[in-house]
Amino acid sequence: MEESTFKAGFVSIVGKPNVGKSSLMNKLVGESLSIITPKAQTTRHRIMGMLNGENYQIVYSDTPGILEPKYDLHNAMMNFVKVSLEDADLILLVVELGEKYEAALFDRFQHITTPILLIINKIDLGKGSQVEDKITYWKENLKNIKQIVTVSAHTGENLTTLFNTILEMMPVHPPFFPKDEFTDRPERFFAAEIVREKIFLNYDQEIPYSTEVSISEFKEEEKIIRIRAEIYVERNSQKGIIIGKAGSMLKKVGMDARKDLEVFFNKQVFLETHVKVADNWRKQKNKLRQFGYLE
Ligand SMILES: Nc1nc2c(ncn2[C@@H]2O[C@H](COP(=O)(O)OP(=O)(O)OP(=O)(O)O)[C@@H](O)[C@H]2O)c(=O)[nH]1
Ligand SMILES: [Mg+2]
């Protein structure tokens, strides 16, 4: 392929929490890079996933769901969204089927000059004329969009059409990253995210939101990877909840995580977990810096 026809660009996936941004990125990239849970605010970082073809490189960015910030962690998350929008050659604005126009969220997209594709996700849940009705609804409410694409990140419906539309809109440009790379994140990041996903899935109420995971050791040996994960909670009283009766809950998290870690790294994993307290870490700049949310 001649250099002059190579296409490469940045595609930012944005939208409200829980609409399926991470599910969509994983499907578009073909790798389980981003963690997915039924709870809102699962994603806290900008995570890049590259799709490399013979004559293209698409650099997707999964981002945290857009919300009204309530504490410093939220501010950091919204800054990831902002920076990702600034870098974008194309924006995938994702809404879920039942969603309505909210000025606080969508007004910012009414005047952006970067091209926007509106993605209506979760169409597998649609009944009767619901999907058609929603297309009409969004055309009326959001004028500044190039096209609407309806998909299901869950079943994969229409994802080929979406991919073709994205590729069509990519600028002619040489690749931004080496062609064998598929993410900007190191192995430790994915290890921490997999443990965090299991915490989102195994605990309720404030626990998932109060928890952060940090990898203090990642040693790859010939046959096994040894990982030490520190699980931080905000208050001492939350330690007991994480650990559970006779350590039962933490044991389950560890087992669930190890299974996925072994699939992700395609190798046997030994996982050690430790629960610690980082007082009010979501509201403390120094701790947010330590955990990689701030420069
Ligand atoms: N039925 C259905 N469920 C979906 C679809 N896409 C995602 N989901 C589910 O929606 C929930 C949220 O998915 P995520 O991909 O984590 O959503 P997100 O937008 O990344 O969420 P945040 O990271 O919290 O902003 C999960 O339970 C997914 O399984 C879809 O096309 N159909
Ligand atoms: Mg997400």
Side-chain angles (χ1 to χ4, degrees):
M1 198 34 83
E2 268 180 59
E3 278 303 306
S4 60
T5 59
F6 196 92
K7 287 182 138 193
F10 285 81
V11 178
S12 288
I13 306 174
V14 300
K16 271 177 70 158
N18 215 40
V19 297
K21 300 178 297 299
S22 299
S23 305
L24 186 64
M25 174 162 100
N26 286 353
K27 280 284 164 69
L28 286 168
V29 175
E31 301 272 350
S32 288
L33 292 179
S34 280
I35 59 169
I36 296 165
T37 82
K39 294 192 174 80
Q41 299 180 42
T42 298
T43 306
R44 292 178 181 164
H45 293 268
R46 174 188 188 179
I47 302 160
M48 288 189 197
M50 294 82 149
L51 184 69
N52 288 295
E54 201 191 322
N55 51 358
Y56 64 83
Q57 177 176 74
I58 304 177
V59 185
Y60 292 102
S61 289
D62 184 21
T63 64
I66 301 175
L67 46 74
E68 199 57 58
K70 296 207 171 66
Y71 38 83
D72 286 334
L73 171 64
H74 280 162
N75 287 326
M77 285 159 61
M78 292 310 99
N79 197 49
F80 291 140
V81 179
K82 182 170 166 268
V83 172
S84 139
L85 286 171
E86 286 164 5
D87 290 349
D89 295 294
L90 174 65
I91 296 166
L92 304 188
L93 177 53
V94 184
V95 296
E96 61 184 357
L97 192 61
E99 200 171 326
K100 296 218 169 78
Y101 188 90
E102 279 169 71
L105 171 63
F106 293 100
D107 278 359
R108 77 190 77 190
F109 296 103
Q110 297 282 20
H111 303 288
I112 277 182
T113 52
T114 310
I116 300 174
L117 289 181
L118 185 80
I119 313 297
I120 304 178
N121 187 34
K122 308 196 185 181
I123 58 168
D124 54 292
L125 303 175
K127 296 199 173 61
S129 65
Q130 201 182 359
V131 175
E132 285 308 312
D133 295 348
K134 280 289 167 181
I135 294 174
T136 313
Y137 173 85
W138 284 105
K139 271 187 188 151
E140 279 165 11
N141 283 282
L142 206 50
K143 303 282 184 218
N144 187 29
I145 45 177
K146 290 281 175 234
Q147 212 174 308
I148 295 179
V149 187
T150 63
V151 302
S152 168
H154 186 60
T155 66
E157 192 177 344
N158 245 354
L159 290 182
T160 309
T161 308
L162 175 58
F163 166 74
N164 289 330
T165 312
I166 293 168
L167 187 57
E168 181 74 20
M169 295 174 83
M170 288 293 96
V172 171
H173 195 282
F176 292 95
F177 297 92
K179 290 192 76 180
D180 56 350
E181 281 183 19
F182 61 95
T183 179
D184 64 326
R185 294 278 172 173
E187 287 171 325
R188 278 169 186 251
F189 174 79
F190 295 105
E193 288 289 271
I194 288 169
V195 176
R196 206 165 59 76
E197 179 183 84
K198 302 313 170 199
I199 289 166
F200 263 68
L201 294 173
N202 280 290
Y203 304 90
D204 290 317
Q205 285 152 6
E206 272 305 283
I207 293 291
Y209 302 100
S210 302
T211 303
E212 175 63 1
V213 178
S214 165
I215 303 299
S216 54
E217 192 180 291
F218 188 103
K219 265 214 306 253
E220 178 148 16
E221 297 170 6
E222 197 190 342
K223 291 218 165 67
I224 198 167
I225 306 175
R226 296 180 192 279
I227 300 173
R228 183 186 160 111
E230 319 284 347
I231 299 172
Y232 288 95
V233 288
E234 288 195 305
R235 291 185 300 280
N236 209 35
S237 59
Q238 295 171 328
K239 263 176 91 167
I241 302 175
I242 293 276
I243 294 165
K245 251 201 195 110
S248 56
M249 286 299 285
L250 188 58
K251 192 172 165 199
K252 175 153 193 308
V253 166
M255 275 166 37
D256 292 355
R258 187 171 59 84
K259 255 192 238 151
D260 280 15
L261 287 164
E262 290 188 336
V263 172
F264 187 86
F265 293 113
N266 196 17
K267 203 165 187 172
Q268 202 184 330
V269 166
F270 174 77
L271 173 66
E272 202 182 316
T273 53
H274 296 266
V275 187
K276 294 185 173 170
V277 179
D279 282 315
N280 279 314
W281 65 268
R282 283 184 288 176
K283 297 177 181 158
Q284 310 238 340
K285 293 224 163 58
N286 61 335
K287 298 213 170 84
L288 290 171
R289 201 165 292 120
Q290 180 196 328
F291 292 146
Y293 292 105
L294 297 173
E295 290 284 296

